[in-house]
Structures are given as C-alpha cells and as structure tokens.
Amino acid sequence: MERGSSEPPVARNTGPTPSSSTDPVPIPRSSSFSCRPNPGSKKHKRTPLYQRSMSFDPGMLHSNGHTAYANGTGPGIREIGVVEKLLTSYGFIQCSERQARLFFHCSQYNGNLQELKIGDDVEFELSSDRRTGKPIAVKLLKIKPEVLPEERISGQVVSSIPMHLDGKSAPGQVPTGSVCYERNGEVFYLTYTPDDVEGNLHLDTGDKVSFYMDTNKHTGAVSARNIQLVKKKQMRCQGVVCATKEAFGFIERADVVKEIFFHYSEFKGDLEALQAGDDVEFTIKDRNGKEVATDVRLLPQGTVIFEDISIEQFEGTVVKVIPKVPTKNQNDPLPGRISARIGFTDKELPFGEKDTKSKVTLLEGDHIQFNISTDRRDKLERATNIDIYPDTFDFTKETREMGVIAAIRDGFGFIKCVDRDARMFFHFSEVLEESQLHISDEVEFTVVPVGPLYNLFAKDMLSAQRNHAVRIKKLPKGTVSFHTQSEQRFVGVVEKELVATSNKNTSPTRGKEKETEEGTIAYEDCGVKLTVPFHAKDLEGGGLPQAGDKVEFSINEVKRTGLQSAVSIRVLNRNSSNTKRLHGFVATLKDNFGFIETANHDQEIFFHYSEMCGDLENLELGDTVEYTLSKGKGNKVSAEKVTKVAAVNGIGDDVVATVMMGKVIRPLRSVDPSQTEYQGLIEVAEEGGVKGQNYPFGIMGMANKADCLQKGELVKFQVCTVTQTAQKMACNVVPQRRAMVECVKDQFGFITYEVGESKKLFFHVKEVQDGLELQTGDEVEFSVVLNQRTGKCSACNVRRVSEGPKPVATPRPDRLVNRLKSITLDDASAPRLVIVRQPRGPDNSKGFNVERKTRQPGVID
C-alpha cells in the first residue's frame, strides 16, 4: 500500500478502455488531466479519454466562421468545463482546470440542445474568434457524469480537523481533514469538512469511519460526506511515574485521579534512567479484570500537567495547620485549611506540605497570600504558593522573643536569647524573607517545642525535650538590647577598687585583656545608701578609679536576671591621698613603646613613649622608673606618667655567694612572646645545688640586660631573695656560650654553633659589638634570638673574645709561575691569540684608552 495525494480517486494501474461504439462515452470527473506536458516526469503522457474511447470527425461540426484551431496551424487543445450560463443561441463555460470563462455558440454543441443544462460537464476545444481574437469554446461534447457508488465506504481518519487554527488559516477558509480507504490493493485519500461529519463529532486520527463519496461539479474534486464514526481509536494516556519498586511501578494518570500499575517489561526505553517524577505515555489494557499500563514510553519533562494555577493572588487566614505528628487514621493528603473570601463567597481551601513557598512553620491565624490550584481531572481546588505576610504577627498574637546569632553551623545555628539563659537552636529553613544570617545579627523569633524530626537526631532525652526557634525575622542593628540603662545620672564614691584576679598579665600588643574583679561604688538614692558593682569595661576616660575617687555613672539592669551594675563611669574628682606611685625596671624597649618589670619582678606593664616624663634618649634596659597604673577603654592596664628615678639596689637582698650552673628551661616573655608567663625559669644542673630545682628570673636578674637567653642554654647564676615577696630568684645570670667564627661574607657571617638541626648560626655584622670586623677563626660570645616569623635562629650581641690566626696569602703554585715565565711574546710556540670581536669601551669607542705595556710574566705591579 502507498499513500496517495488528495486528488480524486484514480487507480494508478488503470489502462485504456476499448470501445466498439461510436457514441460518446461518459467521461468521469475523476479523469481530469493536465494539458501541459511535464518535461521532468518519468510517467507516460496521459491520453485524453475521448481519444481512447471513440472516433470523432471534426468535420461533422459547423465552423460558423470560427477556426477549429487556436492559431489556425494545428488541432485545438481539448479541455473540460461546466456550463455556467445558457441562453437561446449561446452560453458560457467555466473551465475546470484553470480560472477562465469561455463563450460558446449553440451551433458548436454536438447533440440535442434541449438536453444541455446549466451545470453539465462538457468537453470542448479551445479556439479564437476571428473578429475579436478572444478565446472561445468550439466542438462541445457533453460528458456523461460519473456515477459514484452509493454504498457506504469503510475507511480511517488520517488527519483530523484542527481544533485551534491560531489564526493561521486564510479568511473564509474552512478547516479540513482527510480520510483514506483501500480499493483493489491501493489507498485513496479524500478530504472532509466539519459539516460532512454526522452527529457534530470531533474525529481523531486513527478513528474507524464510514462515508459516501461526493464530487464537486465546479472543481471536480471528490470528497467524503455523511461520515459516521464506527470505532474510536484506542487512545494513548499520559501520566507521571509516582512510585518505582523492584520489578514494577505505579503511574498517576492525567485523565482521572487514579494510579495504574505497570510492569518494567512494558517500559520501552532505558530502565536505568526511569525514576519517580518522569512524564510518560501508555496504553491501558485489561488483564485478569484489572487495568494495567502497557507500552510505557517517556515524554519530555513538563508534558503532563495535572492542574491549572490562578494568576491572581488571594489573601486568607490559616484555620488549621498541618500536624507535626501524623495520626494513624490520617489519610487526607491535604490536611491543612485556609479560610478566604473569594469574590463574594467565603471558602475554605485545603493545602498540603508542598503548597508552601518556604519551610517556615505556619501557625493558626497566620495572614497569608496564595494562589488557587484547580485539578484538571476532578476540578478540586486547593491553596498553593502560600506565603506569609510580614504583618502576620499582629494576627497570631504569638509571643515573640529577641536575641543575637551566637553560632552558625552547616544548615543550623544557635541564638543567644535576651530572656533565656540557654542558647536556642534554629534551622535555616525557619528564616523569613530568605535573608542571609551572620554571627551577631539581631533577630526576632518564636519558641516552640522541638518537632519529632529533631527528636530522631537528639543524642539524649534532655536534647529531645528542648525548644527551638522558628519564624526567625532579621532586625535592624541596635534593636536588640540585653539590658536597660537608666536615664538618670548618679554620683558616688569608689568604695572598692578593681583588683586583678590573676598575677598573669599579657602584653596589650597581643590583644588580651587583664581579668579583674569588679569594684564597688557607694551612692545615695532618695536618702537610701546603696552600693553598685562596676567593671573596667564600663569606664569612660583614661584613668582607673581608685578608692575615694568621686565618680558619676548610670545604672544598667540585665533584663534576664535583674542584676544591676554601674556603667558610663566618669571620674569627677580624684582622691590625691590615694594616688599610688609604683616602682619598676625597664624590661623591653621597642620602636614607640616598651614594658616595665614590676618591683616584684613577676609581671611586665606596657607603657607608651608619650607617657614618658623626661629624656627618652637616656632610657636604657634595667633603668629604675616610677609610674602610675591606668586602665583605658579596652580594659588594658598600662603605665602612665613614667619617670626615671635613681637606681634601686639589685634585685634583692641575701645574695648567696655560691655560683651555680644551670639550664634555661623557659626564657623571658620578651624573648618568646607566645608564652603567657613573664618570668624565665632556670633549672639547676650541677652538683653544687639540688639537681632539678628551678629558680625564676627577670630582666634585673640578667648580668647583661641586653642578652636574650634562649631555652636550653647553659648559664651561671646566683640565688637571692626578693624583699617584698620573700621569693628566691636567680640573679647575676651569665650565659656560657662561646664558639668560633666559621666564615664572614660581605654583610653577614656564620658561627660554628649547633642550634636545633642546624650546625651553623647566622649573624649580621650589625650585631657585632664595638663595630669590630670579625675574621674566620675568631672566638666570640653571643646571644641567640629566634625569629618568630621564619622560625629560624640567629646570633645577636656578638662580642669577640679572642682573635684567630692571621690569614696568610697563599702563593701561586710553582707550575703556574714557571709557565708564565716561559711565555714570551716572540715565542712562536706560545698560545696564539685570535681576535674574535674588536673590544669597545663604555663610550662605544674602539680599542683601549690606556696604552698596553709589556709586562714581566709572573710579576704583579
């Protein structure tokens, strides 16, 4: 079988039909032909049926003054047409194969003129009028109309009438479809219009139909009419895979609210790629009394649409939330309810877990906006794209709390609450407005019991019983306050000073604050004597208040606990009798600041050069100074009003005369800033003392204050007792460190001294004392410094102890001297010099400015 065209049904294997009669044979309308040859066609030229079925003598007709040829040179061209107008002696013919209307005279008709009627099919020859030259029809023959079979023909719809033309059809054009039928092994195609279908049905491609054939007299086209539907084509259904098992799955149908079973053997495609959510099409068959899907095939994603979502958004109120713990009897997939007024009607719409825009917890009374989704299958309406309005908290009357983001992890975090002691857990899905949270952000939230999902991951029962924060809203900076501060200013007297809680003090340069106990201020309010604590961080100005100082302050109250403290403290009048001047010793000098070792030799105090009273140039390590303690805004203790005073006797009294050997097990903090203790530590390492006993030391315990003792170095020292504390400390510490200079370069050199894994110690010539130039072999004493940035050690304070042997100029080898003496300029056997390129001077001149002279070989001028 082959697909034909939309031309009238003509059997392609039809041959010439012989006839023994001379009477005109009826020519069916389906036998129309083209009178123009097709040069490129492989088919034989079709012969008009009147030439194949009858013999005709043109002389039988009367010419009546008209030529029988179009141009008088040969036989005329035969055409077919329809009588359009017929008068007494003439008429007009409408050509069937072209848009032309031709005149004919009744004398040119061969037959009984009384039988010729309007609408009859005629065959004629084209000629021209001699007088006017216009084309006319001559030698007319009436064609007997083809008698189409009146029985109904069975066929099939091959192209249905489009339901939506979308403006693509021409104005006035009627949409058409096509049907086909088979006859003698060949397939013929006919067109039809909506009016040709009985019962006003819409036929789909593949439907079985029956019809009659009809011929258009004007065009000769054959079409189908009175079409009746015999059998509907078995339709393909669409759906979405909703579940996949080991060897089968289920499809949610797009035509009805129902799921249908399918076996993997019915899937036509890559089974490994099939997954839940894929769009598919299938055919429904009945097997063992149950409907199953067969011939399952994938469709492009997004083909299947179950619902239509409204463009308009509506406002509503949540009247029933989705329960966190589903009940055993809960079968409703849309358990939530929203009340809204749509149009002039109050409606209650259901919704499910997937209908909210975010995972933020919904509460009853929430003011929300949403769209309405209508299921195409059963017209069920539900709320979807649910979003919470910002003003919803005015409708729910829920208790809102405030806090600050204290920690953030992967997907969750913790909030420091204003009204609670414990930190509150929260999940990122509970953040409103999809804003990005950071540590220290101020937020507002609602506290609810932890849901069952969190309980599954709780490590213990205590964790499972905790609350968590939901519906988190970010607040502007400065909104959250953990305390309230009085507007009234109070005046009082410092009753108790701030006291350090530990003797350990770190340098302010390391950003650490000294911990202090709270002080106390006494004041009167409405005649009642009261006291209030205060802290160093709440001081204003650069001075640290001392006992007896008169201060002004405000009172701060913590909301959570109700505890009060003095804040914004400003010193009004200082008690001059309580101003303490302390003594210390300069321990470190940097570019614009330094550190003072306290009188107890156990701490160091920072001071800035701007606080130095006197000539800074004369200040050296170990100098005795007097100062006053102060604490600034950063709660950092520092020395102010530093004044150089007369030297105080050594580190202490009762110096033991015995000189001990020891090993440095901890250097001073100025040498190793990473340690927290200021004092260094020496362990006794000889028989004269108790082996393993440790003695601390400070800058004043060093015999050479500029020396930097490193961990592990051997030293000689004595033991003394500090007068103020009765503590025994090492004094007169002298390092036992000597080595030989291995080599000296331009600005640096190396000492043969093992430090760590290196057997050579680097030093710079600037570190050599007294500006001496060291030579290889010199014996030196030095200190070792560790570079904190590179982790490498170097020598400093290099002092020459003894000079090494003087270097002796090494004479040239005898063989070289003898060879130079044997070379003469006139010696033919001497090496010949060949000039490859003429030399040029710095000024681009050729040759040398200085004249070359003859020199004695081996002799240096």
Side-chain angles (χ1 to χ4, degrees), residues 333-594:
L334 305 173
R337 294 293 183 271
I338 290 175
S339 175
R341 186 170 185 82
I342 301 174
F344 299 98
T345 307
D346 292 331
K347 285 188 176 182
E348 190 173 277
L349 299 173
F351 69 93
E353 292 183 356
K354 298 181 179 180
D355 290 321
T356 55
K357 275 190 174 181
S358 64
K359 298 299 182 181
V360 176
T361 301
L362 289 178
L363 299 179
E364 291 185 5
D366 267 337
H367 185 208
I368 49 95
Q369 63 177 359
F370 61 93
N371 297 94
I372 296 179
S373 171
T374 305
D375 197 308
R376 292 184 175 183
R377 299 167 293 181
D378 58 357
K379 306 304 178 184
L380 174 67
E381 292 183 342
R382 77 173 198 278
T384 189
N385 296 334
I386 301 171
D387 197 13
I388 300 176
Y389 271 113
D391 63 348
T392 186
F393 306 112
D394 299 334
F395 294 82
T396 57
K397 305 299 181 182
E398 61 191 288
T399 302
R400 300 287 286 172
E401 298 185 18
M402 292 190 293
V404 176
I405 302 296
I408 290 180
R409 302 290 186 266
D410 187 12
F412 64 94
F414 293 91
I415 300 173
K416 180 181 178 182
C417 305
V418 172
D419 301 322
R420 298 173 185 262
D421 293 333
R423 297 193 306 176
M424 194 64 60
F425 171 88
F426 74 94
H427 197 274
F428 285 172
S429 60
E430 291 289 347
V431 180
L432 295 169
E433 302 173 356
E434 298 182 357
S435 56
Q436 187 72 24
L437 292 182
H438 303 86
I439 294 178
S440 300
D441 280 349
E442 301 176 10
V443 293
E444 183 185 57
F445 56 92
T446 302
V447 178
V448 297
V450 176
L453 181 61
Y454 181 74
N455 291 341
L456 294 177
F457 299 97
K459 296 182 179 179
D460 49 34
M461 290 302 296
L462 180 61
S463 300
Q465 295 173 359
R466 291 177 180 173
N467 297 330
H468 67 166
V470 298
R471 303 156 67 88
I472 300 168
K473 180 181 179 182
K474 189 174 180 180
L475 299 176
K477 285 289 185 182
T479 305
V480 177
S481 176
F482 289 85
H483 53 264
T484 57
Q485 182 172 328
S486 64
E487 296 181 359
Q488 181 183 357
R489 297 284 289 176
F490 298 88
V491 178
V493 177
V494 175
E495 191 175 78
K496 179 184 176 183
E497 298 179 9
L498 295 170
V499 181
T501 59
S502 173
N503 289 332
K504 298 178 182 179
N505 183 26
T506 57
S507 170
T509 58
R510 298 188 56 83
K512 297 182 181 179
E513 296 181 357
K514 182 179 177 181
E515 297 180 0
T516 57
E517 289 183 355
E518 61 184 21
T520 305
I521 299 175
Y523 70 102
E524 287 188 5
D525 186 15
C526 300
V528 180
K529 293 184 177 181
L530 302 171
T531 59
V532 63
F534 71 96
H535 302 86
K537 63 182 178 62
D538 298 318
L539 299 174
E540 292 184 355
L544 191 68
Q546 299 176 358
D549 288 350
K550 188 176 182 180
V551 294
E552 184 185 42
F553 59 95
S554 299
I555 294 181
N556 176 75
E557 182 177 340
V558 179
K559 292 182 179 179
R560 185 175 68 252
T561 61
L563 295 177
Q564 293 183 342
S565 62
V567 295
S568 303
I569 303 170
R570 184 165 58 88
V571 178
L572 297 179
N573 294 316
R574 289 191 177 273
N575 186 359
S576 59
S577 62
N578 290 334
T579 303
K580 295 181 180 180
R581 296 290 289 174
L582 304 176
H583 284 83
F585 309 95
V586 177
T588 306
L589 293 174
K590 299 293 184 180
D591 290 339
N592 53 11
F593 63 92

Side-chain angles (χ1 to χ4, degrees), residues 556-854:
N556 176 75
E557 182 177 340
V558 179
K559 292 182 179 179
R560 185 175 68 252
T561 61
L563 295 177
Q564 293 183 342
S565 62
V567 295
S568 303
I569 303 170
R570 184 165 58 88
V571 178
L572 297 179
N573 294 316
R574 289 191 177 273
N575 186 359
S576 59
S577 62
N578 290 334
T579 303
K580 295 181 180 180
R581 296 290 289 174
L582 304 176
H583 284 83
F585 309 95
V586 177
T588 306
L589 293 174
K590 299 293 184 180
D591 290 339
N592 53 11
F593 63 92
F595 290 90
I596 299 173
E597 182 182 283
T598 61
N600 294 336
H601 312 287
D602 57 353
Q603 296 182 27
E604 61 177 354
I605 305 296
F606 170 87
F607 75 97
H608 196 273
Y609 287 170
S610 60
E611 295 291 340
M612 184 64 191
C613 302
D615 188 4
L616 188 63
E617 298 295 330
N618 296 329
L619 193 64
E620 295 180 356
L621 293 176
D623 286 349
T624 304
V625 293
E626 191 179 57
Y627 61 94
T628 303
L629 281 180
S630 174
K631 180 172 286 190
K633 291 183 178 179
N635 201 24
K636 298 175 182 179
V637 177
S638 61
E640 61 181 15
K641 300 180 181 179
V642 181
T643 307
K644 184 177 178 180
V645 296
V648 180
N649 294 335
I651 185 172
D653 300 330
D654 300 330
V655 178
V656 180
T658 305
V659 178
M660 300 182 182
M661 291 292 296
K663 181 180 179 181
V664 178
I665 61 175
R666 186 179 70 201
L668 290 174
R669 189 176 181 276
S670 58
V671 176
D672 184 8
S674 62
Q675 66 187 35
T676 56
E677 297 84 359
Y678 162 71
Q679 291 178 324
L681 205 60
I682 298 175
E683 182 183 38
V684 176
E686 74 167 8
E687 297 178 358
V690 180
K691 190 173 181 65
Q693 186 174 357
N694 299 333
Y695 293 98
F697 70 93
I699 188 67
M700 295 304 294
M702 301 285 297
N704 179 11
K705 307 299 186 292
D707 202 351
C708 301
L709 288 180
Q710 299 292 317
K711 182 178 180 181
E713 290 189 325
L714 298 177
V715 295
K716 286 183 178 181
F717 66 97
Q718 294 174 284
V719 177
C720 67
T721 303
V722 179
T723 305
Q724 294 89 336
T725 62
Q727 182 185 18
K728 293 187 178 300
M729 297 184 64
C731 63
N732 300 326
V733 181
V734 179
Q736 300 298 300
R737 186 190 307 121
R738 287 190 179 186
M740 306 296 291
V741 176
E742 182 180 281
C743 64
V744 178
K745 304 297 183 181
D746 185 19
Q747 294 293 324
F748 61 92
F750 291 93
I751 300 173
T752 307
Y753 189 80
E754 185 173 352
V755 179
E757 298 179 356
S758 177
K759 295 184 178 181
K760 295 189 297 184
L761 185 63
F762 171 90
F763 73 92
H764 198 277
V765 295
K766 292 182 179 179
E767 296 292 341
V768 180
Q769 295 182 2
D770 302 328
L772 299 176
E773 292 185 7
L774 297 181
Q775 302 293 331
T776 302
D778 287 351
E779 185 179 13
V780 293
E781 289 181 349
F782 53 90
S783 300
V784 179
V785 177
L786 176 65
N787 189 318
Q788 298 293 335
R789 183 175 59 85
T790 62
K792 295 181 179 181
C793 294
S794 61
C796 65
N797 302 326
V798 180
R799 184 174 65 87
R800 185 168 64 187
V801 178
S802 62
E803 294 186 18
K806 294 292 184 180
V808 179
T810 304
R812 290 184 176 180
D814 293 339
R815 58 179 180 82
L816 179 58
V817 175
N818 294 334
R819 180 170 176 78
L820 291 174
K821 288 181 178 181
S822 63
I823 297 176
T824 61
L825 297 178
D826 299 332
D827 190 358
S829 63
R832 300 184 62 83
L833 302 178
V834 180
I835 297 177
V836 179
R837 177 178 58 83
Q838 290 290 346
R840 292 180 179 272
D843 56 353
N844 205 27
S845 61
K846 293 182 180 180
F848 297 93
N849 295 329
V850 180
E851 182 181 356
R852 300 186 66 179
K853 299 179 180 180
T854 304

Side-chain angles (χ1 to χ4, degrees), residues 82-96:
V82 180
V83 177
E84 185 186 57
K85 188 175 183 180
L86 184 62
L87 299 178
T88 305
S89 58
Y90 65 93
F92 291 90
I93 298 173
Q94 178 67 43
C95 296
S96 298

Side-chain angles (χ1 to χ4, degrees), residues 50-68:
Y50 80 91
Q51 294 185 6
R52 294 183 291 175
S53 60
M54 60 175 291
S55 299
F56 180 71
D57 185 7
M60 295 175 59
L61 299 177
H62 303 285
S63 63
N64 240 8
H66 302 289
T67 177

